[in-house]
Amino acid sequence: MSWFDTTVFLSTFITLIVILDPPGAIPIFLALTGSLTRVQRSAAALRATFVAVLVIALFAVFGQSILDYLHISIAALQGAGGLLLLLISLELLTGKESDSLSNAGVNVALVPLGTPLLAGPGAIVATMLAVKGADDAGAYVAVAAALVAALLVVYLFLRFASQIRAVLRESGTMLLTRIAGLLLAAIAVQMVADSVRAFVSGPA
């Protein structure tokens, strides 16, 4: 029995990177933290990453028990996350995000950055399945290491998003905000659609 399963680590890490999509999170992060200072944006990036690790790890260990106890299906969790993201995307598209987030400080790192944007149903379910498929201590260690490594990559992308903002300037950031809103709306609609499809095709 090995203390570290490299195959499990690589498969879990790649899956999480694809789901989390660090480059795609940059425009959304910039849009949601547009009213914050550079120091606050750095703090928001760190806090969002920490919250995502905490939430995903919590669901990885206790997720199925929590959902069973509350009689909540994965589809319901996915649909709720999609609706929340849809509300945020509408604010980005209409330019009202500055009003709702101007006094939020780094709390935007909790919602919607930490969850459901990073610690969304996709990442949660993928990690839960990886833990469920682990059959020894080495596999469990590999899953935990893959989660930390994937979110470390996300943090690095978000941490240096300020440099990207400096290059884009105000007009470029505004354009990126609208694009981010459109992309986030598409992600939200896809999550809701997947949730509805799951409800239709199987028992809740």
Side-chain angles (χ1 to χ4, degrees), residues 9 12 25 43 47-48 65 81 83 91 96 100 117 123 140 168 187:
F9 171 80
T12 306
R47 186 174 295 186
S65 299
L83 291 175
E91 291 185 348
K96 295 180 180 179
S100 61
L117 191 57
Y140 286 117
L168 293 175
I187 293 172

Side-chain angles (χ1 to χ4, degrees), residues 140-176:
Y140 286 117
V141 172
V143 172
L147 173 61
V148 173
L151 283 164
L152 179 60
V153 172
V154 172
Y155 167 72
L156 291 175
F157 272 85
L158 299 184
R159 172 64 179 79
F160 294 103
S162 296
Q163 283 75 359
I164 298 175
R165 180 182 176 85
V167 173
L168 293 175
R169 299 177 184 272
E170 189 65 30
S171 58
T173 302
M174 184 178 297
L175 175 61
L176 203 58

